């Protein structure tokens, strides 16, 4: 995915765009670019492979030259990251500039057609095709205006996009469009902002319009915001929203990285996820989304959980929770596989989609398929009003707050919290969970934020120190059983994505069926071994590892003796119910991955090749 920023108003457009791009850099960071409609009404473009800082290095002469402009930070899809492939792209006549997030799937056919008409291309991107298609309509259609040419072009393409377009002959006008990728319009006083999310303009205005699917808008100081459908130009009344986002939420607040800040936010984010939903005294779980559709869930022939990456790991724990407490069969699927394997899914099914961003293209596509087949769709998203949350029949937001570090941390534990609430609610409702057990579990769940506070306070310094021993390690194994098997998968994913150390997660018992061959004195093995949950079996696994001289990093409950005595490194966490232990155990694993990556000099918040949400299939 990529980040888009646009501005028209009275401020220095260069500053607004560059600062906005910095906020959106989490969305993609292999190249960046800016175009300004300068005060003499000429365009000036600067773009480069690299980060926003690299762009600033070549573009600071543009400061104070314009009040209108737009910029882009890229995560490459078509064409390698390079200066040429960076956005903005200009049309052949040099008059139209375009920035784009998404993929134009039929770009090749259009490119061939345009080449036949004499157009030439400098880049390998689909975006350059779209900007030239707009020029083509401007050149060949009598009396056409600029927004109409954009509309015509958008009607010719299919795929996913959010775009912003400027035309040199239409100074001060920004045309935007959306299909499958988000775009927000910030409404200031005598100024308008455009951005992939509201973070670039939150300090300037709290009013925003989130462009709907299939809509476009023409924005200028003279005529305000004119929203139309892309298909047939029907006028749309804008729905203005009040932003709840604060500047504080999207800044690092004294932490070196967003990831560390987000790890430390977990007591609060889990508390926020539970707030208003878990009423311990009354013995009630109040979740409107579930409450209104309880029968759909309890009568479901099965629940299918669809997600990718970390959210998929959360889904696996969700399966354990729902099957244990509600006794409803659950399947967990990678969204990308689900969609392409003709799954058996119908109106008797419930499908739960889990997604931090709510924009993941694989998850979105899988959901559309499930919807077509009549399943009831429930969403667990963090980003409010995101595309996935809009297409679901019902859902619960995780309320973890903006997660900016590419590696998901607080969103994961918030997802687990929601899944625990759902499982307990369903179990109580369908009678599989007795009142006494329910009451004891909800009071334990309520105690989780405090326990995470304790983990952060007692393990941070220890892990920071211990991580130094692993900066030159090449491989890691992560093992866990039961609820902590997915936590092991998640621990391994965290390490590999930010430190680039190869790491694999396994159910601890599977070790002897293959991975044990890898174990020697150079192999660190992180083993999650809380007292509750197959502890004796884990003890045997640790013995097997020690017999082969593997280095054991054990996550155990406070006061543990058996595993702790055998382990090379011991991380103690407070005791909790087995079903909530992955929430607590994940926190030290996040810290471990974080510090190893920091010592290796990796860019923790923006690891190579990744983007915060993957809006392409
Ligand atoms: O926004 P989503 O939860 O749908 O994203 C899914 C994955 O792309 C995401 O969890 C990814 O694996 C993260 N980088 C993990 O830290």
């Amino acid at each position: 995915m990529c980040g888009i920023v646009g501005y028209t108003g009275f401020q220095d457009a260069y500053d607004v765009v560059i600062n906005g791009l910095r906020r959106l850099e989490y969305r993609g960071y292999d190249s960046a670019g800016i175009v300004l409609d300068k005060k003499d009404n000429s365009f000036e473009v600067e773009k480069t492979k690299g980060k926003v800082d690299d762009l600033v290095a070549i573009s600071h002469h543009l400061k104070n030259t314009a009040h209108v402009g737009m910029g882009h930070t890229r995560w490459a899809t078509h064409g390698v990251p390079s200066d040429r492939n960076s956005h903005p792209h200009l049309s052949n006549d040099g008059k139209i500039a375009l920035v784009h997030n998404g993929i134009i799937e039929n770009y090749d056919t259009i490119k061939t057609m345009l080449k036949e008409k004499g157009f030439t291309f400098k880049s390998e991107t689909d975006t350059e095709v779209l900007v030239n298609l707009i020029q083509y309509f401007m050149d060949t259609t009598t009396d056409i205006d600029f927004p109409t040419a954009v509309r015509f072009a958008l009607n010719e393409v299919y795929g996913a996009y959010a775009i912003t377009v400027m035309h040199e002959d239409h100074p001060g006008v920004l045309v935007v469009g959306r299909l499958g990728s988000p775009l927000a319009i910030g409404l200031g006083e005598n100024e308008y902002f455009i951005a992939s999310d509201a973070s670039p303009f939150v300090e300037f205005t709290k009013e925003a319009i989130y462009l709907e699917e299939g809509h476009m808008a023409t924005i200028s100081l003279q005529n305000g915001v004119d929203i139309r459908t892309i298909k047939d130009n029907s006028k749309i009344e804008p729905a203005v929203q009040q932003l709840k986002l604060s500047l504080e939420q999207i800044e690092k607040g004294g932490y070196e990285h967003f990831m560390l800040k987000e790890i430390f936010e977990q007591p609060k984010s889990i508390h926020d996820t539970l707030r208003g939903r878990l009423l311990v005294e009354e013995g009630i779980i109040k979740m409107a989304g579930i409450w209104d559709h309880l029968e759909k869930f309890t009568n479901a022939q099965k629940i299918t959980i669809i997600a990718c990456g970390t959210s998929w790991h959360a889904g696996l724990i969700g399966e354990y929770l729902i099957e244990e407490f509600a006794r409803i069969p659950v399947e967990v699927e990678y969204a990308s596989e689900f969609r392409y394997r003709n799954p058996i899914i119908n109106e008797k099914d419930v499908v739960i989609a889990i997604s931090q961003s709510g924009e993941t293209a694989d998850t979105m596509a899988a959901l559309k398929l499930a919807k077509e087949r009549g399943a009831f769709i429930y969403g667990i998203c963090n980003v409010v009003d995101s595309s996935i949350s809009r297409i679901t029949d019902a859902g619960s937001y995780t309320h973890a707050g903006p997660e900016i570090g590419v590696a998901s941390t607080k969103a994961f534990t918030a997802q687990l919290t929601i899944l625990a609430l759902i499982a307990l609610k369903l179990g109580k409702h369908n009678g599989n969970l007795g009142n006494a057990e329910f009451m004891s579990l909800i009071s334990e769940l309520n105690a989780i934020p405090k326990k995470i506070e304790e983990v952060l306070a007692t393990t941070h310094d220890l892990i920071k120190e211990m991580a130094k021993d692993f900066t030159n390690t090449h491989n890691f194994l992560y093992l866990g059983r039961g609820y902590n098997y997915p936590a092991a998968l998640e621990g391994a994913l965290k390490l590999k994505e930010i430190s680039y150390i190869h790491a694999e997660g396994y159910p601890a018992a599977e070790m002897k069926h293959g991975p044990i061959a890898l174990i020697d004195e150079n192999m660190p093995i992180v083993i999650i071994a809380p007292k509750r949950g197959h502890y004796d079996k884990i003890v045997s696994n640790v013995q097997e590892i020690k017999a082969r001289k593997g280095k054991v990093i054990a996550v155990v409950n406070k006061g543990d003796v058996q595993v702790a005595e055998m382990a090379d490194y011991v991380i103690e966490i407070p005791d909790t119910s087995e079903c909530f232990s992955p929430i607590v155990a994940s926190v030290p694993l996040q810290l471990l991955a974080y510090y190893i990556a920091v010592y290796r000099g990796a860019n923790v918040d923006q690891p190579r090749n990744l983007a915060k949400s993957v809006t392409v299939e």
Side-chain angles (χ1 to χ4, degrees):
M1 72 179 186
C2 308
I4 290 177
V5 183
Y7 179 74
T8 180
F10 55 87
Q11 300 190 53
D12 176 20
Y14 179 78
D15 274 354
V16 176
V17 171
I18 292 291
N19 293 335
L21 289 181
R22 288 194 197 285
R23 299 240 172 96
L24 293 182
E25 209 169 16
Y26 75 91
R27 298 178 64 88
Y29 33 82
D30 58 47
S31 42
I34 186 168
V35 58
L36 296 180
D37 184 353
K38 296 205 299 182
K39 290 172 189 162
D40 63 2
N41 278 348
S42 67
F43 278 179
E44 186 160 345
V45 178
E46 289 292 359
K47 53 187 192 169
T48 181
K49 177 180 169 187
K51 308 249 178 201
V52 176
D53 277 345
D54 300 301
L55 174 64
V56 171
I58 58 160
S59 67
H60 45 77
H61 61 281
L62 290 176
K63 211 169 154 41
N64 288 320
T65 59
H67 295 303
V68 186
M70 62 187 189
H72 187 266
T73 172
R74 178 171 187 249
W75 183 77
T77 57
H78 293 68
V80 294
S82 68
D83 295 355
R84 266 183 324 120
N85 288 334
S86 309
H87 300 210
H89 287 281
L90 289 180
S91 54
N92 275 195
D93 63 7
K95 284 177 180 286
I96 309 169
L98 190 146
V99 290
H100 167 217
N101 170 26
I103 284 189
I104 307 297
E105 285 173 9
N106 57 337
Y107 82 105
D108 215 19
T109 323
I110 299 171
K111 193 170 184 174
T112 309
M113 180 280 281
L114 289 172
K115 275 182 172 169
E116 279 163 12
K117 307 276 178 206
F119 282 83
T120 57
F121 295 88
K122 296 190 180 108
S123 76
E124 297 137 82
T125 64
D126 49 349
T127 309
E128 197 185 6
V129 173
L130 182 56
V131 72
N132 280 307
L133 187 62
I134 297 170
Q135 184 198 320
Y136 170 73
F137 281 114
M138 291 291 285
D139 291 349
T140 56
T141 320
T142 327
D143 290 337
I144 194 166
D145 60 11
F146 167 43
T148 306
V150 175
R151 194 167 68 75
F152 280 12
L154 292 181
N155 274 310
E156 293 302 316
V157 300
Y158 55 84
Y161 56 77
I163 55 158
T164 304
V165 201
M166 288 168 35
H167 195 300
E168 218 173 40
D169 296 343
H170 299 263
V173 178
L174 295 158
V175 178
V176 299
R178 171 200 169 144
L179 191 73
S181 296
L183 207 63
I185 304 167
L187 312 173
E189 247 181 60
N190 293 323
E191 58 182 350
Y192 294 105
F193 305 84
I194 292 152
S196 302
D197 70 38
S199 60
F201 54 77
V202 69
E203 74 254 53
F204 303 117
T205 178
K206 291 280 184 233
E207 294 204 326
I209 298 167
Y210 285 89
L211 206 61
E212 300 280 343
E213 285 292 277
H215 289 180
M216 60 182 287
T218 305
I219 300 156
S220 67
L221 292 183
Q222 287 74 21
N223 299 316
V225 179
D226 178 40
I227 305 180
R228 306 269 165 172
T229 57
I230 294 170
K231 197 158 174 246
D232 53 17
N233 204 32
S234 308
K235 195 164 170 61
I236 303 286
E237 277 315 309
V240 179
Q241 297 195 18
Q242 295 299 318
L243 296 175
K244 294 203 181 87
L245 192 69
S246 72
L247 201 55
E248 198 187 37
Q249 284 178 299
I250 53 168
E251 287 184 336
K252 284 190 201 148
Y255 287 91
E256 200 182 334
H257 296 100
F258 281 110
M259 181 176 173
L260 189 60
K261 177 185 176 227
E262 287 155 8
I263 292 172
F264 271 86
E265 276 173 350
Q266 289 175 109
K268 179 174 184 311
S269 53
I270 295 174
H271 183 263
D272 288 348
T273 305
L274 292 174
R275 196 177 34 215
R277 289 170 166 150
L278 182 59
L279 311 179
V280 184
E281 308 275 284
E282 293 92 321
I284 294 175
I285 291 174
K286 247 174 135 179
M287 294 174 88
I290 295 284
W291 184 257
D292 296 343
H293 306 281
L294 268 173
E295 304 314 318
K296 280 259 177 226
F297 278 87
T298 47
N299 295 333
Q301 106 190 325
K302 70 172 181 305
I303 295 175
T304 302
I305 300 181
I306 293 173
C308 304
T310 289
S311 299
W312 183 79
H313 296 154
L316 290 177
I317 296 171
E319 174 184 19
Y320 288 28
L321 284 160
I322 296 171
E323 291 205 341
E324 176 170 359
F325 297 119
R327 309 302 298 154
I328 303 169
V330 180
E331 281 176 10
V332 187
E333 298 252 10
Y334 281 119
S336 53
E337 289 298 314
F338 177 83
R339 180 173 180 208
Y340 290 105
R341 64 167 192 81
N342 196 11
I344 300 170
I345 201 101
N346 57 42
E347 62 288 346
K348 294 190 199 118
D349 290 305
V350 168
V351 169
I352 300 180
I354 308 177
S355 175
Q356 186 286 130
S357 61
E359 302 294 342
T360 301
D362 288 321
T363 310
M364 188 78 174
L367 273 195
K368 284 183 179 156
L369 175 76
K371 211 174 171 138
E372 271 162 34
R373 302 219 174 151
F376 177 77
I377 315 286
Y378 198 85
I380 299 177
C381 295
N382 192 39
V383 177
V384 176
D385 261 338
S386 51
S387 305
I388 290 175
S389 66
R390 283 158 181 246
I391 67 160
T392 49
D393 296 307
S396 305
Y397 285 118
T398 41
H399 297 314
E403 188 181 67
I404 295 168
V406 164
S408 189
T409 52
K410 63 174 180 171
F412 175 64
T413 49
Q415 289 165 346
L416 298 186
T417 307
I418 287 284
L419 288 160
L421 287 171
I422 291 176
L424 299 180
K425 173 97 199 157
L426 294 178
K428 177 82 192 305
H429 178 75
N430 68 10
N432 280 298
L433 188 55
N435 198 47
E437 197 186 352
F438 176 79
M439 290 305 286
S440 136
L441 284 165
I442 61 171
S443 89
E444 190 52 39
L445 182 56
N446 202 39
I448 295 293
K450 274 258 161 282
K451 295 197 171 173
I452 293 190
E453 230 168 70
E454 188 184 330
V455 172
L456 290 166
T458 57
T459 67
H460 172 263
D461 292 353
L462 170 92
I463 294 172
K464 186 174 178 182
E465 201 45 42
M466 158 197 309
K468 289 180 184 157
D469 294 351
F470 300 103
T471 43
N472 296 318
T473 304
H474 296 296
N475 297 291
F476 258 86
L477 270 184
Y478 283 71
L479 304 177
R481 296 181 85 116
Y483 281 97
N484 283 305
Y485 152 53
L489 294 178
E490 174 59 10
L493 177 65
K494 281 300 78 95
L495 184 71
K496 73 183 130 193
E497 68 181 336
I498 60 171
S499 73
Y500 320 138
I501 293 175
H502 171 240
E504 285 190 64
Y506 269 95
E510 271 297 301
M511 181 186 68
K512 58 187 175 296
H513 298 289
I516 198 164
L518 298 169
I519 296 177
D520 62 14
E521 63 280 10
N522 297 317
M523 175 66 93
I525 296 120
V526 177
I527 185 143
I528 310 169
K531 266 270 178 257
R532 304 180 205 217
H534 324 286
Y535 183 76
D536 292 345
K537 301 278 180 203
I538 289 263
V539 170
S540 311
N541 297 139
V542 176
Q543 278 157 347
E544 287 153 14
I545 296 166
K546 287 318 294 175
R548 284 147 190 97
K549 299 196 170 62
K551 274 205 181 69
V552 171
I553 302 163
V555 179
V556 293
N557 284 144
K558 257 207 215 131
D560 181 283
V561 179
Q562 246 183 313
V563 170
E565 268 178 358
M566 288 186 282
D568 300 85
Y569 301 84
V570 177
I571 301 170
E572 288 191 330
I573 57 170
D575 179 32
T576 182
S577 306
E578 188 195 350
C579 62
F580 306 136
S581 62
I583 312 183
V584 182
S586 291
V587 176
L589 303 192
Q590 296 165 351
L591 285 171
L592 184 65
Y594 171 79
Y595 278 110
I596 293 176
V598 167
Y599 295 137
R600 286 167 66 88
N603 186 338
V604 174
D605 284 335
Q606 296 170 354
R608 69 182 179 207
N609 304 338
L610 292 172
K612 183 66 187 160
S613 80
V614 184
T615 53
V616 293
E617 276 186 76

